């Protein structure tokens, strides 16, 4: 699986405007099979759970809130490339040509 950090870097969508790229990703996301959805949700949990643990630690350690904010900022940087990589194979190259 190749990781894409932007919808613009997905080969089938490079020539499309942003709204069409997002639409194509949304359509392809509906085609994900169970194990792919499970993998994506587990990856999301691996990022979200530490945030809540760090928030709970703020009662005794105020520095933990800074770490929670940093981990929260990493969420899109960590999850989106995997998401785009999973849905890229479900984006047909011929459907969006010429739009």
């Amino acid at each position: 699986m190749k990781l894409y950090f932007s919808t613009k870097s997905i080969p089938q969508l490079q020539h499309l405007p942003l709204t069409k790229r997002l639409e194509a990703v949304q359509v392809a996301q509906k085609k994900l099979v169970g194990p792919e959805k499970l993998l994506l949700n587990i990856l999301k949990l691996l990022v979200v759970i530490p945030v809540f643990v760090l928030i709970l630690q703020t009662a005794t350690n105020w520095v933990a809130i800074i770490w929670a904010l940093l981990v929260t900022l990493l969420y899109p940087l960590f999850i989106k490339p995997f998401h785009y990589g999973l849905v890229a194979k479900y984006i047909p190259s011929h459907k969006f040509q010429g739009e």
Side-chain angles (χ1 to χ4, degrees):
M1 174 180 72
K2 187 173 180 184
L3 299 179
Y4 299 101
F5 290 93
S6 165
T7 56
K8 187 100 174 151
S9 61
I10 299 174
Q12 301 95 312
L13 303 177
Q14 288 178 344
H15 64 283
L16 296 175
L18 178 62
T19 54
K20 294 287 186 185
R21 289 194 312 259
L22 294 178
E23 180 184 324
V25 167
Q26 194 173 41
V27 168
Q29 181 177 346
K30 293 177 184 176
K31 295 179 183 178
L32 288 175
V33 294
E36 293 169 331
K37 289 179 186 177
L38 179 66
L39 174 65
L40 193 56
N41 286 332
I42 288 173
L43 288 173
K44 289 177 184 178
L45 281 174
L46 289 175
V47 176
V48 171
I49 289 175
V51 171
F52 287 106
V53 170
L54 289 166
I55 289 172
L56 288 174
Q57 289 182 356
T58 58
T60 58
N61 181 9
W62 281 99
V63 178
I65 195 72
I66 295 170
W67 287 107
L69 289 172
L70 287 173
V71 172
T72 304
L73 292 174
L74 289 176
Y75 179 83
L77 294 174
F78 184 70
I79 298 299
K80 284 298 181 184
F82 284 103
H83 178 247
Y84 294 151
L86 285 173
V87 300
K89 63 183 172 183
Y90 295 108
I91 299 173
S93 59
H94 57 64
K95 181 180 179 186
F96 297 102
Q97 295 291 337
E99 286 187 348

